[in-house]
Amino acid sequence: MIGIYIYDTITREGMVRRLMGESSNRIATDRAPQSSISRRQYLASGTAVGVGAALGGCLGSDDGLTVGYALPFTGTYAMLGESIVNGFELYLEQSDGEIDGQEVETVKRDTEADTNRGVDVTRELMVEEQADAIVGPVSSSVAIAMMQTIENEASAIWLNANAGDYRVVEEGCLNYHFRTSFNDWQTSAPLAEWVYDNVADNVCLAYADYAFGQNSKNFFQKAFEEVGGEVVDEVGAPLGTDDYSTYLSDIESSGADAVFSFFAGSDAVNYISDFADYGLDAEMTQVGSGFLLSEDTLPAQGEAALGMYSLLHYTPTQETDRNQEFIGNYREAYDSSANVYACQGYDSAQAFAAAVAEAGSSDPDEMANALGGMELDSPRGSFWFNSETHEAIQNMYVREVVESDRDQPVENQVVETIDSVEGPNWGCNLE
């Protein structure tokens, strides 16, 4: 889970109506009655008239495909949820609302970044809405809570479009789970050798003191020490910290030449602003996970972020034809800039379409077999799913914040590409 700084106040509903016209999409963010039976039990009971025969093969609807969005549409993470939906529906629009010749219906349910709510809406989407694919969530804690329901229902493919905690694979190792985003090892550990070779041989670690922040600093520390680097100190700060001066004093006292950080959202904005105000940018080099310096934080961080480095799997300024086409189409559809979350939503749609086409049905087991090892042509660059873990094997980009002559005064510029980053399998082998 990552923290979020909200800038986008445009509602998705307005953009979708403009984009999709008379599409079949349904917007359903109200809480619905909860079901105490599984989808298989629901169908077998005869309650779902006319679809019981589907149990013999495809569990989805006979006259189309259904995608269930289990994402936050209210609260702190709403912007991420809307961006993921925008990316997914941009792909559908480009495919005339169909996948493999079948009309696609989408259904939204608001997880509210709440674990209990995430479980309830996942069950609702799988049992009552008969979703063929679940897209989401944003929060890693919600993803971990959803795992048992996904496994028990066994009726849909799960396209994880943001939740990056490695424990989803270590503890879940689910055949139906495919990460169309990243994991917290990928956004931290691969940066260590680059920092050692190009920045400093000693660092201080500064991080948001919760599971994702702790995972990120631990992964970086292990990799940094393995290449010969020294971690001289570490500083954890609570989520939602407004004033980082106390923590910055500790970082300065460490005497390190560089600092590796994981902060995101409003925490990243406050931390970077305070870092520059404190004058530490003149004493040490700031590096970190990509969410420290991302498209949702840079407008507020501004010139305070200049010269800082981060690592992520997507950068909107990449000058590839594939990415620039995506950026242009996204802006035309939504009159806003694409971000990493929109890319993850777009790739979730690509994955679902490819799975249905390759499997020849929406049977979840057949789709899972089709997706394992499959390569996708993404705006981030081509990536493929690890057949053992179903994690994305993808390029990671070291970016430097530089001045820009585009919409914002600063932007990320790729300075090095780390090819085909895979990471540990966490004891999971689905082959």
mmCIF file of all heavy atoms in Angstrom, residues 26 28-39 42 66 68-70 107-110 116-131 134 149 153 155:
data_model
loop_
_atom_site.group_PDB
_atom_site.id
_atom_site.type_symbol
_atom_site.label_atom_id
_atom_site.label_comp_id
_atom_site.label_asym_id
_atom_site.label_seq_id
_atom_site.Cartn_x
_atom_site.Cartn_y
_atom_site.Cartn_z
ATOM 1 N N ARG A 26 -21.675 -0.350 -16.126
ATOM 2 C CA ARG A 26 -22.551 0.038 -15.032
ATOM 3 C C ARG A 26 -21.707 0.611 -13.915
ATOM 4 O O ARG A 26 -20.663 0.083 -13.575
ATOM 5 C CB ARG A 26 -23.335 -1.169 -14.512
ATOM 6 C CG ARG A 26 -24.433 -1.596 -15.466
ATOM 7 C CD ARG A 26 -25.275 -2.671 -14.852
ATOM 8 N NE ARG A 26 -24.560 -3.935 -14.814
ATOM 9 C CZ ARG A 26 -24.603 -4.760 -13.788
ATOM 10 N NH1 ARG A 26 -25.250 -4.442 -12.694
ATOM 11 N NH2 ARG A 26 -23.959 -5.903 -13.818
ATOM 12 N N ALA A 28 -21.653 1.243 -10.112
ATOM 13 C CA ALA A 28 -22.356 0.780 -8.919
ATOM 14 C C ALA A 28 -21.429 0.870 -7.732
ATOM 15 O O ALA A 28 -20.725 -0.062 -7.404
ATOM 16 C CB ALA A 28 -22.838 -0.647 -9.108
ATOM 17 N N THR A 29 -21.417 2.022 -7.105
ATOM 18 C CA THR A 29 -20.510 2.198 -5.983
ATOM 19 C C THR A 29 -21.206 2.052 -4.640
ATOM 20 O O THR A 29 -20.569 2.067 -3.615
ATOM 21 C CB THR A 29 -19.865 3.582 -6.043
ATOM 22 O OG1 THR A 29 -20.893 4.579 -6.070
ATOM 23 C CG2 THR A 29 -18.996 3.719 -7.276
ATOM 24 N N ASP A 30 -22.533 1.916 -4.637
ATOM 25 C CA ASP A 30 -23.235 1.742 -3.373
ATOM 26 C C ASP A 30 -22.984 0.350 -2.838
ATOM 27 O O ASP A 30 -22.788 -0.599 -3.579
ATOM 28 C CB ASP A 30 -24.739 1.935 -3.575
ATOM 29 C CG ASP A 30 -25.066 3.360 -3.968
ATOM 30 O OD1 ASP A 30 -24.246 4.257 -3.661
ATOM 31 O OD2 ASP A 30 -26.123 3.569 -4.589
ATOM 32 N N ARG A 31 -23.044 0.243 -1.544
ATOM 33 C CA ARG A 31 -22.912 -1.083 -0.946
ATOM 34 C C ARG A 31 -24.127 -1.925 -1.340
ATOM 35 O O ARG A 31 -25.262 -1.491 -1.289
ATOM 36 C CB ARG A 31 -22.861 -0.977 0.589
ATOM 37 C CG ARG A 31 -21.590 -0.337 1.104
ATOM 38 C CD ARG A 31 -21.708 -0.109 2.587
ATOM 39 N NE ARG A 31 -20.538 0.597 3.095
ATOM 40 C CZ ARG A 31 -19.563 -0.006 3.748
ATOM 41 N NH1 ARG A 31 -19.606 -1.292 3.955
ATOM 42 N NH2 ARG A 31 -18.544 0.682 4.205
ATOM 43 N N ALA A 32 -23.867 -3.131 -1.714
ATOM 44 C CA ALA A 32 -24.934 -4.036 -2.115
ATOM 45 C C ALA A 32 -25.144 -5.075 -1.029
ATOM 46 O O ALA A 32 -24.273 -5.299 -0.183
ATOM 47 C CB ALA A 32 -24.565 -4.723 -3.432
ATOM 48 N N PRO A 33 -26.301 -5.732 -1.020
ATOM 49 C CA PRO A 33 -26.522 -6.788 -0.033
ATOM 50 C C PRO A 33 -25.435 -7.836 -0.120
ATOM 51 O O PRO A 33 -25.010 -8.217 -1.207
ATOM 52 C CB PRO A 33 -27.887 -7.355 -0.461
ATOM 53 C CG PRO A 33 -28.547 -6.238 -1.214
ATOM 54 C CD PRO A 33 -27.436 -5.529 -1.902
ATOM 55 N N GLN A 34 -25.010 -8.338 1.008
ATOM 56 C CA GLN A 34 -23.915 -9.295 1.042
ATOM 57 C C GLN A 34 -24.421 -10.718 0.890
ATOM 58 O O GLN A 34 -25.489 -11.081 1.362
ATOM 59 C CB GLN A 34 -23.128 -9.152 2.346
ATOM 60 C CG GLN A 34 -22.607 -7.748 2.544
ATOM 61 C CD GLN A 34 -21.777 -7.290 1.364
ATOM 62 O OE1 GLN A 34 -20.811 -7.956 0.994
ATOM 63 N NE2 GLN A 34 -22.121 -6.158 0.784
ATOM 64 N N SER A 35 -23.642 -11.524 0.230
ATOM 65 C CA SER A 35 -24.009 -12.910 0.004
ATOM 66 C C SER A 35 -23.241 -13.812 0.953
ATOM 67 O O SER A 35 -22.079 -13.578 1.239
ATOM 68 C CB SER A 35 -23.693 -13.300 -1.441
ATOM 69 O OG SER A 35 -23.836 -14.690 -1.602
ATOM 70 N N SER A 36 -23.891 -14.849 1.441
ATOM 71 C CA SER A 36 -23.212 -15.796 2.322
ATOM 72 C C SER A 36 -22.923 -17.102 1.614
ATOM 73 O O SER A 36 -22.471 -18.054 2.216
ATOM 74 C CB SER A 36 -24.074 -16.050 3.566
ATOM 75 O OG SER A 36 -25.320 -16.590 3.182
ATOM 76 N N ILE A 37 -23.252 -17.200 0.314
ATOM 77 C CA ILE A 37 -22.973 -18.427 -0.434
ATOM 78 C C ILE A 37 -21.968 -18.126 -1.514
ATOM 79 O O ILE A 37 -21.801 -16.992 -1.948
ATOM 80 C CB ILE A 37 -24.258 -19.024 -1.047
ATOM 81 C CG1 ILE A 37 -24.858 -18.041 -2.074
ATOM 82 C CG2 ILE A 37 -25.253 -19.369 0.031
ATOM 83 C CD1 ILE A 37 -26.045 -18.614 -2.813
ATOM 84 N N SER A 38 -21.286 -19.166 -1.961
ATOM 85 C CA SER A 38 -20.301 -18.964 -3.009
ATOM 86 C C SER A 38 -20.978 -18.873 -4.361
ATOM 87 O O SER A 38 -22.153 -19.201 -4.528
ATOM 88 C CB SER A 38 -19.316 -20.127 -3.028
ATOM 89 O OG SER A 38 -19.936 -21.269 -3.573
ATOM 90 N N ARG A 39 -20.197 -18.439 -5.365
ATOM 91 C CA ARG A 39 -20.746 -18.338 -6.704
ATOM 92 C C ARG A 39 -21.163 -19.696 -7.230
ATOM 93 O O ARG A 39 -22.194 -19.848 -7.859
ATOM 94 C CB ARG A 39 -19.704 -17.705 -7.635
ATOM 95 C CG ARG A 39 -20.200 -17.575 -9.066
ATOM 96 C CD ARG A 39 -19.116 -17.002 -9.936
ATOM 97 N NE ARG A 39 -19.543 -16.960 -11.318
ATOM 98 C CZ ARG A 39 -18.768 -16.643 -12.326
ATOM 99 N NH1 ARG A 39 -17.509 -16.352 -12.098
ATOM 100 N NH2 ARG A 39 -19.212 -16.609 -13.553
ATOM 101 N N TYR A 42 -24.322 -20.549 -5.639
ATOM 102 C CA TYR A 42 -25.365 -19.670 -6.156
ATOM 103 C C TYR A 42 -25.881 -20.194 -7.486
ATOM 104 O O TYR A 42 -27.080 -20.294 -7.727
ATOM 105 C CB TYR A 42 -24.769 -18.273 -6.322
ATOM 106 C CG TYR A 42 -25.690 -17.219 -6.873
ATOM 107 C CD1 TYR A 42 -26.655 -16.617 -6.058
ATOM 108 C CD2 TYR A 42 -25.579 -16.803 -8.193
ATOM 109 C CE1 TYR A 42 -27.472 -15.629 -6.554
ATOM 110 C CE2 TYR A 42 -26.402 -15.821 -8.697
ATOM 111 C CZ TYR A 42 -27.355 -15.230 -7.878
ATOM 112 O OH TYR A 42 -28.155 -14.248 -8.371
ATOM 113 N N THR A 66 -17.665 -10.069 -18.184
ATOM 114 C CA THR A 66 -17.865 -9.107 -17.102
ATOM 115 C C THR A 66 -16.551 -8.875 -16.367
ATOM 116 O O THR A 66 -15.865 -9.831 -15.998
ATOM 117 C CB THR A 66 -18.919 -9.620 -16.098
ATOM 118 O OG1 THR A 66 -20.157 -9.828 -16.787
ATOM 119 C CG2 THR A 66 -19.139 -8.608 -14.984
ATOM 120 N N GLY A 68 -14.970 -6.932 -13.040
ATOM 121 C CA GLY A 68 -15.296 -6.297 -11.778
ATOM 122 C C GLY A 68 -14.133 -5.480 -11.255
ATOM 123 O O GLY A 68 -13.033 -5.996 -11.060
ATOM 124 N N TYR A 69 -14.371 -4.193 -11.048
ATOM 125 C CA TYR A 69 -13.345 -3.315 -10.485
ATOM 126 C C TYR A 69 -13.464 -3.326 -8.965
ATOM 127 O O TYR A 69 -14.452 -2.827 -8.413
ATOM 128 C CB TYR A 69 -13.512 -1.876 -10.969
ATOM 129 C CG TYR A 69 -13.363 -1.666 -12.459
ATOM 130 C CD1 TYR A 69 -14.344 -0.995 -13.174
ATOM 131 C CD2 TYR A 69 -12.236 -2.100 -13.139
ATOM 132 C CE1 TYR A 69 -14.209 -0.764 -14.536
ATOM 133 C CE2 TYR A 69 -12.094 -1.874 -14.499
ATOM 134 C CZ TYR A 69 -13.083 -1.209 -15.188
ATOM 135 O OH TYR A 69 -12.944 -0.988 -16.539
ATOM 136 N N ALA A 70 -12.506 -3.907 -8.280
ATOM 137 C CA ALA A 70 -12.439 -3.855 -6.820
ATOM 138 C C ALA A 70 -11.380 -2.833 -6.458
ATOM 139 O O ALA A 70 -10.215 -3.161 -6.213
ATOM 140 C CB ALA A 70 -12.098 -5.224 -6.252
ATOM 141 N N VAL A 107 -18.213 -3.454 -13.954
ATOM 142 C CA VAL A 107 -18.966 -3.144 -12.737
ATOM 143 C C VAL A 107 -17.996 -2.618 -11.686
ATOM 144 O O VAL A 107 -16.982 -3.261 -11.401
ATOM 145 C CB VAL A 107 -19.691 -4.394 -12.182
ATOM 146 C CG1 VAL A 107 -20.515 -4.029 -10.956
ATOM 147 C CG2 VAL A 107 -20.568 -5.030 -13.259
ATOM 148 N N LYS A 108 -18.302 -1.468 -11.125
ATOM 149 C CA LYS A 108 -17.434 -0.856 -10.110
ATOM 150 C C LYS A 108 -17.940 -1.181 -8.705
ATOM 151 O O LYS A 108 -19.137 -1.075 -8.433
ATOM 152 C CB LYS A 108 -17.415 0.668 -10.275
ATOM 153 C CG LYS A 108 -16.753 1.166 -11.524
ATOM 154 C CD LYS A 108 -16.909 2.682 -11.659
ATOM 155 C CE LYS A 108 -16.163 3.443 -10.576
ATOM 156 N NZ LYS A 108 -16.263 4.905 -10.766
ATOM 157 N N ARG A 109 -17.016 -1.527 -7.838
ATOM 158 C CA ARG A 109 -17.320 -1.640 -6.422
ATOM 159 C C ARG A 109 -16.196 -0.967 -5.643
ATOM 160 O O ARG A 109 -15.021 -1.173 -5.925
ATOM 161 C CB ARG A 109 -17.439 -3.105 -5.988
ATOM 162 C CG ARG A 109 -18.673 -3.812 -6.541
ATOM 163 C CD ARG A 109 -19.956 -3.243 -5.935
ATOM 164 N NE ARG A 109 -21.144 -3.960 -6.401
ATOM 165 C CZ ARG A 109 -21.841 -3.627 -7.478
ATOM 166 N NH1 ARG A 109 -21.461 -2.584 -8.195
ATOM 167 N NH2 ARG A 109 -22.905 -4.321 -7.828
ATOM 168 N N ASP A 110 -16.582 -0.188 -4.649
ATOM 169 C CA ASP A 110 -15.634 0.646 -3.902
ATOM 170 C C ASP A 110 -15.074 -0.124 -2.705
ATOM 171 O O ASP A 110 -15.805 -0.443 -1.766
ATOM 172 C CB ASP A 110 -16.361 1.904 -3.437
ATOM 173 C CG ASP A 110 -15.432 2.919 -2.803
ATOM 174 O OD1 ASP A 110 -14.216 2.647 -2.713
ATOM 175 O OD2 ASP A 110 -15.918 3.990 -2.404
ATOM 176 N N ASN A 116 -12.063 -5.319 5.214
ATOM 177 C CA ASN A 116 -13.350 -6.020 5.258
ATOM 178 C C ASN A 116 -14.197 -5.688 4.042
ATOM 179 O O ASN A 116 -14.843 -6.565 3.450
ATOM 180 C CB ASN A 116 -14.108 -5.658 6.540
ATOM 181 C CG ASN A 116 -13.435 -6.213 7.782
ATOM 182 O OD1 ASN A 116 -12.771 -7.254 7.730
ATOM 183 N ND2 ASN A 116 -13.597 -5.526 8.897
ATOM 184 N N ARG A 117 -14.205 -4.426 3.678
ATOM 185 C CA ARG A 117 -14.952 -3.999 2.504
ATOM 186 C C ARG A 117 -14.381 -4.665 1.243
ATOM 187 O O ARG A 117 -15.126 -5.067 0.358
ATOM 188 C CB ARG A 117 -14.882 -2.478 2.402
ATOM 189 C CG ARG A 117 -15.564 -1.888 1.184
ATOM 190 C CD ARG A 117 -17.072 -2.022 1.252
ATOM 191 N NE ARG A 117 -17.703 -1.402 0.101
ATOM 192 C CZ ARG A 117 -18.859 -1.783 -0.410
ATOM 193 N NH1 ARG A 117 -19.518 -2.774 0.138
ATOM 194 N NH2 ARG A 117 -19.369 -1.155 -1.455
ATOM 195 N N GLY A 118 -13.051 -4.779 1.178
ATOM 196 C CA GLY A 118 -12.429 -5.418 0.022
ATOM 197 C C GLY A 118 -12.873 -6.858 -0.140
ATOM 198 O O GLY A 118 -13.141 -7.324 -1.254
ATOM 199 N N VAL A 119 -12.969 -7.582 0.954
ATOM 200 C CA VAL A 119 -13.431 -8.975 0.904
ATOM 201 C C VAL A 119 -14.892 -9.031 0.459
ATOM 202 O O VAL A 119 -15.283 -9.844 -0.396
ATOM 203 C CB VAL A 119 -13.259 -9.647 2.280
ATOM 204 C CG1 VAL A 119 -13.922 -11.020 2.294
ATOM 205 C CG2 VAL A 119 -11.780 -9.767 2.623
ATOM 206 N N ASP A 120 -15.720 -8.151 1.025
ATOM 207 C CA ASP A 120 -17.152 -8.162 0.688
ATOM 208 C C ASP A 120 -17.389 -7.880 -0.794
ATOM 209 O O ASP A 120 -18.173 -8.568 -1.450
ATOM 210 C CB ASP A 120 -17.888 -7.118 1.538
ATOM 211 C CG ASP A 120 -17.958 -7.509 3.008
ATOM 212 O OD1 ASP A 120 -17.723 -8.696 3.315
ATOM 213 O OD2 ASP A 120 -18.222 -6.618 3.839
ATOM 214 N N VAL A 121 -16.725 -6.859 -1.330
ATOM 215 C CA VAL A 121 -16.995 -6.498 -2.728
ATOM 216 C C VAL A 121 -16.394 -7.532 -3.680
ATOM 217 O O VAL A 121 -16.938 -7.772 -4.766
ATOM 218 C CB VAL A 121 -16.477 -5.085 -3.070
ATOM 219 C CG1 VAL A 121 -17.090 -4.051 -2.152
ATOM 220 C CG2 VAL A 121 -14.962 -5.001 -3.034
ATOM 221 N N THR A 122 -15.310 -8.165 -3.284
ATOM 222 C CA THR A 122 -14.747 -9.221 -4.132
ATOM 223 C C THR A 122 -15.721 -10.378 -4.252
ATOM 224 O O THR A 122 -15.982 -10.898 -5.346
ATOM 225 C CB THR A 122 -13.414 -9.712 -3.551
ATOM 226 O OG1 THR A 122 -12.498 -8.617 -3.493
ATOM 227 C CG2 THR A 122 -12.818 -10.814 -4.409
ATOM 228 N N ARG A 123 -16.299 -10.785 -3.124
ATOM 229 C CA ARG A 123 -17.273 -11.878 -3.149
ATOM 230 C C ARG A 123 -18.500 -11.473 -3.951
ATOM 231 O O ARG A 123 -19.035 -12.254 -4.746
ATOM 232 C CB ARG A 123 -17.663 -12.270 -1.730
ATOM 233 C CG ARG A 123 -18.668 -13.431 -1.674
ATOM 234 C CD ARG A 123 -19.004 -13.859 -0.261
ATOM 235 N NE ARG A 123 -17.851 -14.416 0.423
ATOM 236 C CZ ARG A 123 -17.220 -13.830 1.416
ATOM 237 N NH1 ARG A 123 -17.652 -12.657 1.856
ATOM 238 N NH2 ARG A 123 -16.185 -14.398 1.995
ATOM 239 N N GLU A 124 -18.931 -10.242 -3.769
ATOM 240 C CA GLU A 124 -20.105 -9.763 -4.504
ATOM 241 C C GLU A 124 -19.858 -9.774 -6.011
ATOM 242 O O GLU A 124 -20.709 -10.222 -6.796
ATOM 243 C CB GLU A 124 -20.458 -8.353 -4.040
ATOM 244 C CG GLU A 124 -21.661 -7.747 -4.747
ATOM 245 C CD GLU A 124 -21.879 -6.303 -4.327
ATOM 246 O OE1 GLU A 124 -21.448 -5.927 -3.220
ATOM 247 O OE2 GLU A 124 -22.458 -5.559 -5.132
ATOM 248 N N LEU A 125 -18.697 -9.292 -6.415
ATOM 249 C CA LEU A 125 -18.378 -9.262 -7.847
ATOM 250 C C LEU A 125 -18.291 -10.668 -8.427
ATOM 251 O O LEU A 125 -18.727 -10.915 -9.553
ATOM 252 C CB LEU A 125 -17.060 -8.521 -8.074
ATOM 253 C CG LEU A 125 -17.106 -7.005 -7.868
ATOM 254 C CD1 LEU A 125 -15.694 -6.426 -7.826
ATOM 255 C CD2 LEU A 125 -17.918 -6.328 -8.968
ATOM 256 N N MET A 126 -17.755 -11.606 -7.656
ATOM 257 C CA MET A 126 -17.575 -12.969 -8.179
ATOM 258 C C MET A 126 -18.870 -13.771 -8.130
ATOM 259 O O MET A 126 -19.176 -14.528 -9.048
ATOM 260 C CB MET A 126 -16.474 -13.679 -7.392
ATOM 261 C CG MET A 126 -15.109 -12.998 -7.514
ATOM 262 S SD MET A 126 -13.774 -13.803 -6.601
ATOM 263 C CE MET A 126 -13.414 -15.209 -7.667
ATOM 264 N N VAL A 127 -19.654 -13.625 -7.074
ATOM 265 C CA VAL A 127 -20.838 -14.451 -6.900
ATOM 266 C C VAL A 127 -22.059 -13.858 -7.599
ATOM 267 O O VAL A 127 -22.734 -14.525 -8.378
ATOM 268 C CB VAL A 127 -21.138 -14.648 -5.397
ATOM 269 C CG1 VAL A 127 -22.459 -15.399 -5.208
ATOM 270 C CG2 VAL A 127 -19.999 -15.385 -4.728
ATOM 271 N N GLU A 128 -22.342 -12.609 -7.324
ATOM 272 C CA GLU A 128 -23.577 -12.013 -7.827
ATOM 273 C C GLU A 128 -23.408 -11.388 -9.208
ATOM 274 O O GLU A 128 -24.332 -11.438 -10.026
ATOM 275 C CB GLU A 128 -24.097 -10.981 -6.829
ATOM 276 C CG GLU A 128 -24.421 -11.615 -5.475
ATOM 277 C CD GLU A 128 -24.868 -10.606 -4.440
ATOM 278 O OE1 GLU A 128 -25.196 -9.457 -4.841
ATOM 279 O OE2 GLU A 128 -24.876 -10.942 -3.246
ATOM 280 N N GLU A 129 -22.272 -10.773 -9.452
ATOM 281 C CA GLU A 129 -22.042 -10.151 -10.762
ATOM 282 C C GLU A 129 -21.399 -11.113 -11.745
ATOM 283 O O GLU A 129 -21.258 -10.793 -12.920
ATOM 284 C CB GLU A 129 -21.177 -8.905 -10.606
ATOM 285 C CG GLU A 129 -21.792 -7.821 -9.735
ATOM 286 C CD GLU A 129 -23.059 -7.218 -10.330
ATOM 287 O OE1 GLU A 129 -23.285 -7.396 -11.545
ATOM 288 O OE2 GLU A 129 -23.815 -6.591 -9.571
ATOM 289 N N GLN A 130 -20.982 -12.266 -11.289
ATOM 290 C CA GLN A 130 -20.374 -13.298 -12.140
ATOM 291 C C GLN A 130 -19.200 -12.745 -12.949
ATOM 292 O O GLN A 130 -19.077 -13.008 -14.157
ATOM 293 C CB GLN A 130 -21.420 -13.895 -13.076
ATOM 294 C CG GLN A 130 -22.588 -14.530 -12.335
ATOM 295 C CD GLN A 130 -23.635 -15.083 -13.280
ATOM 296 O OE1 GLN A 130 -23.299 -15.664 -14.295
ATOM 297 N NE2 GLN A 130 -24.894 -14.908 -12.929
ATOM 298 N N ALA A 131 -18.378 -11.964 -12.295
ATOM 299 C CA ALA A 131 -17.232 -11.368 -12.983
ATOM 300 C C ALA A 131 -16.282 -12.444 -13.490
ATOM 301 O O ALA A 131 -16.006 -13.427 -12.807
ATOM 302 C CB ALA A 131 -16.501 -10.415 -12.042
ATOM 303 N N ILE A 134 -11.302 -9.905 -11.963
ATOM 304 C CA ILE A 134 -11.296 -8.917 -10.889
ATOM 305 C C ILE A 134 -10.072 -8.023 -11.109
ATOM 306 O O ILE A 134 -8.942 -8.525 -11.213
ATOM 307 C CB ILE A 134 -11.204 -9.577 -9.502
ATOM 308 C CG1 ILE A 134 -12.404 -10.513 -9.278
ATOM 309 C CG2 ILE A 134 -11.131 -8.513 -8.404
ATOM 310 C CD1 ILE A 134 -13.747 -9.829 -9.241
ATOM 311 N N THR A 149 -10.814 -15.303 -0.539
ATOM 312 C CA THR A 149 -12.047 -15.278 -1.332
ATOM 313 C C THR A 149 -11.768 -15.642 -2.785
ATOM 314 O O THR A 149 -12.518 -16.419 -3.399
ATOM 315 C CB THR A 149 -12.687 -13.875 -1.262
ATOM 316 O OG1 THR A 149 -12.975 -13.564 0.103
ATOM 317 C CG2 THR A 149 -13.970 -13.818 -2.072
ATOM 318 N N GLU A 153 -13.602 -19.027 -4.261
ATOM 319 C CA GLU A 153 -14.575 -18.924 -5.352
ATOM 320 C C GLU A 153 -14.033 -19.552 -6.627
ATOM 321 O O GLU A 153 -14.782 -20.181 -7.384
ATOM 322 C CB GLU A 153 -14.948 -17.464 -5.593
ATOM 323 C CG GLU A 153 -15.601 -16.773 -4.399
ATOM 324 C CD GLU A 153 -16.891 -17.449 -3.978
ATOM 325 O OE1 GLU A 153 -17.511 -18.129 -4.819
ATOM 326 O OE2 GLU A 153 -17.270 -17.334 -2.796
ATOM 327 N N SER A 155 -13.369 -18.586 -9.555
ATOM 328 C CA SER A 155 -14.249 -18.374 -10.711
ATOM 329 C C SER A 155 -13.848 -17.182 -11.572
ATOM 330 O O SER A 155 -14.572 -16.836 -12.506
ATOM 331 C CB SER A 155 -15.694 -18.176 -10.230
ATOM 332 O OG SER A 155 -15.783 -17.047 -9.369
#
